[in-house]
C-alpha cells in the first residue's frame, strides 16, 4: 500500500474515532458533562462541584441558575457588589429571605454558596429529615454568613471565608411536627439516637456539596454549629 493510501486510512480512522467520541458524549448525563451548564436539579458529582465553583467568577450565570429555582425552594434578591465593612468587599452575592424552610434571620451570601445550599437542602437535608425523623425541616437556625474577620479572630491568621460571605454556620433545625434539633444538644444525644443519626447524616452528606465542612468533632469553636463553605475540596471534619 502506498504512503498516500496509508495516510488516507489513518485520516479515516481518526475521523471515525472523533465521531464516535462526539456521539458518546451525547449520552453523558449533564451532571457529568463539563460542557452542560449547571442546574439546581443536577445530582452532585465532582463535575457539578467544579461547575459550581466556576460560578464565583461568572455572576450573571450564577444569578441565572438561581432564577430557575421554584418559589418554594428559594426567595432571594441579587445584590450589586458593595463593601459593608472596610477591607471586606462583597461580590457576586445575594440576599436570601427564605429557602424551602424559614430562616432564623435573612442572610447575604455568595451566589455559588446559595446554589450549593439549595441543591443540598432539596437533595439531602429534607430527605434525611424524613428518613431519620419522619418530618420535614420548616426552619433553619443559623449564625449567619458574613463577618469581616480572620479565622478565629487571630491577627496573624488568614481571612475567614466569612469575610467574603462565602460560609454558612448552621446551628439547628425546626421540624414540621414541632421538634427542634440542635448541633449543640443533639450531636452526641444518646437518649434520642434518631436526632444524633440525623445530624451525623447531614454532616456527612454536606461534604459532597461544600468544599469545607466543619462540625463538633473538629474543635470546640464548632461544637454548636456546622460550618459550610465553598473553598477547596474535601475538608470534612
Amino acid at each position: 500500500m502506498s504512503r498516500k493510501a496509508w495516510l488516507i486510512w489513518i485520516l479515516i480512522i481518526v475521523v471515525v474515532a472523533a465521531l464516535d467520541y462526539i456521539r458518546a458524549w451525547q449520552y453523558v448525563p449533564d451532571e457529568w458533562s463539563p460542557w452542560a451548564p449547571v442546574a439546581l436539579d443536577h445530582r452532585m458529582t465532582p463535575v457539578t462541584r467544579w461547575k459550581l465553583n466556576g460560578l464565583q467568577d461568572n455572576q450573571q450565570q450564577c444569578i441565572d441558575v438561581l432564577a430557575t429555582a421554584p418559589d418554594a425552594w428559594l426567595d432571594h434578591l441579587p445584590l450589586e457588589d458593595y463593601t459593608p465593612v472596610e477591607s471586606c468587599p462583597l461580590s457576586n452575592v445575594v440576599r436570601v429571605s427564605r429557602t424551602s424552610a424559614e430562616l432564623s434571620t435573612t442572610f447575604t451570601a455568595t451566589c455559588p454558596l446559595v446554589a450549593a445550599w439549595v441543591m443540598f437542602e432539596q437533595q439531602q437535608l429534607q430527605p434525611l429529615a424524613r428518613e431519620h425523623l419522619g418530618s420535614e425541616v420548616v426552619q433553619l437556625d443559623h449564625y449567619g454568613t458574613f463577618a469581616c474577620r480572620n479565622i478565629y479572630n487571630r491577627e496573624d491568621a488568614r481571612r475567614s471565608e466569612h469575610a467574603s460571605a462565602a460560609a454558612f454556620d448552621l446551628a439547628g433545625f425546626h421540624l414540621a411536627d414541632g421538634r427542634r434539633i440542635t448541633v449543640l444538644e443533639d450531636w452526641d444525644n444518646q437518649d434520642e439516637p434518631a436526632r444524633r443519626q440525623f445530624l451525623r447524616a447531614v454532616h456527612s452528606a454536606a461534604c459532597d456539596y461544600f468544599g469545607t465542612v466543619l462540625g463538633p468533632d473538629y474543635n470546640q469553636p464548632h461544637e454548636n454549629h456546622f460550618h459550610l463553605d465553598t473553598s477547596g475540596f474535601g475538608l470534612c471534619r
Side-chain angles (χ1 to χ4, degrees):
M1 186 180 291
S2 68
R3 184 171 181 273
K4 182 177 181 180
W6 273 110
L7 290 175
I8 291 174
W9 273 109
I10 292 172
L11 179 60
I12 291 173
I13 292 171
V14 169
V15 170
V16 170
L19 290 174
D20 285 342
Y21 178 79
I22 292 171
R23 282 195 294 268
W25 273 109
Q26 294 176 351
Y27 301 101
V28 173
D30 286 345
E31 54 262 36
W32 284 103
S33 171
W35 298 285
V38 67
L40 295 176
D41 61 353
H42 284 178
R43 287 189 306 111
M44 187 56 65
T45 69
V47 177
T48 306
R49 282 269 299 274
W50 171 73
K51 288 189 283 190
L52 280 174
N53 285 343
L55 295 179
Q56 186 60 57
D57 299 320
N58 193 329
Q59 184 172 13
Q60 188 57 54
Q61 183 184 0
C62 191
I63 290 172
D64 291 343
V65 169
L66 289 189
T68 66
D71 292 343
W73 288 13
L74 182 67
D75 184 1
H76 73 292
L77 176 68
L79 302 177
E80 297 290 336
D81 295 352
Y82 70 110
T83 304
V85 180
E86 187 178 357
S87 80
C88 285
L90 297 182
S91 62
N92 195 7
V93 293
V94 298
R95 187 71 174 169
V96 178
S97 300
R98 73 179 308 280
T99 60
S100 66
E102 298 293 334
L103 302 172
S104 54
T105 60
T106 60
F107 63 83
T108 296
T110 59
C111 184
L113 178 65
V114 175
W117 174 262
V118 171
M119 296 173 74
F120 172 70
E121 186 173 281
Q122 293 302 314
Q123 298 174 18
Q124 298 293 336
L125 177 64
Q126 294 291 13
L128 287 170
R130 291 190 292 268
E131 176 187 348
H132 290 277
L133 302 168
S135 186
E136 291 198 343
V137 174
V138 295
Q139 180 177 313
L140 303 171
D141 290 341
H142 67 90
Y143 296 142
T145 54
F146 174 71
C148 186
R149 59 174 176 81
N150 295 346
I151 293 177
Y152 304 126
N153 294 303
R154 296 170 182 165
E155 292 185 5
D156 59 346
R158 65 175 175 83
R159 271 297 199 220
S160 167
E161 290 299 307
H162 287 288
S164 57
F168 185 45
D169 286 346
L170 184 62
F173 312 90
H174 294 259
L175 304 181
D177 62 13
R179 284 176 292 172
R180 180 170 180 257
I181 314 297
T182 70
V183 176
L184 179 62
E185 296 177 353
D186 295 310
W187 179 255
D188 282 320
N189 190 333
Q190 302 299 323
D191 296 327
E192 298 186 65
R195 293 171 174 246
R196 178 178 183 275
Q197 292 163 6
F198 167 68
L199 289 178
R200 303 277 171 155
V202 168
H203 180 277
S204 178
C207 297
D208 291 331
Y209 289 74
F210 303 94
T212 299
V213 178
L214 305 176
D217 287 346
Y218 180 59
N219 60 11
Q220 188 276 332
H222 292 90
E223 68 175 354
N224 63 350
H225 69 278
F226 296 152
H227 169 99
L228 313 173
D229 73 48
T230 55
S231 67
F233 282 87
L235 180 54
C236 179
R237 298 280 297 278

